């Protein structure tokens, strides 16, 4: 059973309940057609009544557990970390079914994932054999890009760490729209909207090698949803292969010292101004001789007269996670 639940799960149990009631009625009528009519004894009536009561109590208990397992949201004041920047932070402790949230209004607002989506495109490409880590080099077209490190043939690990857009534009095109849509639906990734496949809605860039649905375009996700997606990928109930998870962790690792932190930055602009800056992933922490993951997301929105950047979001996340690990 997964460790997160939503309305659809409860609806499913209600459907199962109704089907059991209907089937119970059908099985009773079928039995009467095949067997001679017999008068039901008081003992039979009592046994049948007790069986129905137990069945109802069992289903009610499951439905109650579903409701109780909804994660708790705790508001926290992490404003000191943000230096007056417009931002939000979410840390999801799946083992406690608990969110720690700073600025809940912004934490629930969907924005473009920008380069944090490289976690997802890497996941899908690794699972489908489109990226094979030892044979993953893409050939540079010769077009000169603003980031000098993109102006060369580049392999998966370096492309991920340098956030090479043209590399992942090619990877995503190789994945294809149908496979991508199925994968995002499976992950419940934000609004799952990839209709602007080429990224024509992006007003900051019209270079087809550097645009896409994940860059200030049709695909949107909230900071809280980012943490939920990370748990679906890296949590105990992950459906993805060990090889894929191992490779993703390898390229996502950013710290090793105090606590291992894995993540990816992302940043988007409109008319040359930073309007979205992200850092999301998970951290491995120890608690009472056990190890667990904390799934986190720090988001920064446009803030005039402040240096909003993905590097700033990353620094804030590391500070918050370090603080949590010490308390």
């Amino acid at each position: 059973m997964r460790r997160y639940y939503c309305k659809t799960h409860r609806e499913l149990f209600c459907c199962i309940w109704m089907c059991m009631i209907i089937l119970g009625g059908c099985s009773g009528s079928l039995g009467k057609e095949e067997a001679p009519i017999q008068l039901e004894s008081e003992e039979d009536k009592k046994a049948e009544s007790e069986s129905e009561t137990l069945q109802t109590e069992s289903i009610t208990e499951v439905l109650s557990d579903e409701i109780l397992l909804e994660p708790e949201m705790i508001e926290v004041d992490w404003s000191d970390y943000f230096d007056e920047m417009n931002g939000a932070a979410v840390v999801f402790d799946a083992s406690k079914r608990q969110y720690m949230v700073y600025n809940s209004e912004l934490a629930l607002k969907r924005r473009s994932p920008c380069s944090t989506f490289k976690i997802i495109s890497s996941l899908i490409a690794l699972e489908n054999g489109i990226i094979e880590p030892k044979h993953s080099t893409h050939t540079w077209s010769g077009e000169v890009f603003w980031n000098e490190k993109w102006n060369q043939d580049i392999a998966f690990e370096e492309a991920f760490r340098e956030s090479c857009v043209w590399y992942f534009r090619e990877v995503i095109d190789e994945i294809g729209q149908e496979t991508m849509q199925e994968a995002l639906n499976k992950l419940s990734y934000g609004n799952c909207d990839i209709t602007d496949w080429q990224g024509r809605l992006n007003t900051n860039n019209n270079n087809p090698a550097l645009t896409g649905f994940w860059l200030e375009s049709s695909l949107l996700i909230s900071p809280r949803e980012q943490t939920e997606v990370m748990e679906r990928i890296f949590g105990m109930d992950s459906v993805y292969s060990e090889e894929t998870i191992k490779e993703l962790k390898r390229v996502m690792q950013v710290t090793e010292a105090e606590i291992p932190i894995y993540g990816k930055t992302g940043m988007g602009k409109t008319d040359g101004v930073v309007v979205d800056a992200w850092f999301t992933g998970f951290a491995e922490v120890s608690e009472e001789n056990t190890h667990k993951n904390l799934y986190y997301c720090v988001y920064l929105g446009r803030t005039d007269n402040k240096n909003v950047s993905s590097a700033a979001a990353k620094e804030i996340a590391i500070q918050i996670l370090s603080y949590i690990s010490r308390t």
Side-chain angles (χ1 to χ4, degrees), residues 85-100:
M85 284 185 284
N86 176 35
V90 182
V91 177
F92 178 33
D93 186 338
S95 66
K96 293 181 178 178
R97 308 304 307 141
Q98 184 181 93
Y99 295 97
M100 288 173 280

Side-chain angles (χ1 to χ4, degrees), residues 111-119 146 150 160-165 189 214-216 221 226 254 263-269 273-281 296-302 308-315 317:
R111 296 291 300 174
S112 170
C114 306
S115 285
T116 64
F117 191 72
K118 288 182 174 68
I119 299 173
W146 63 270
W150 298 357
F160 188 93
R161 294 187 184 279
E162 296 298 333
S163 207
C164 182
V165 178
Y189 189 91
W214 68 99
L215 294 167
E216 299 303 327
I221 191 169
Q226 287 266 34
V254 294
K264 182 71 187 75
T265 54
M267 191 166 70
K269 296 181 179 181
V273 178
V274 175
V275 292
D276 295 307
W278 300 87
F279 187 57
T280 189
Y296 69 86
C297 180
V298 169
Y299 169 81
L300 300 175
R302 178 171 180 169
V308 175
S309 67
S310 57
K314 179 179 177 180
E315 180 60 29

Side-chain angles (χ1 to χ4, degrees), residues 15 85 99 199-200 238 243 248 272 280 299:
C15 290
M85 284 185 284
Y99 295 97
R200 294 188 177 91
S238 173
E243 293 79 7
L248 265 183
T280 189
Y299 169 81

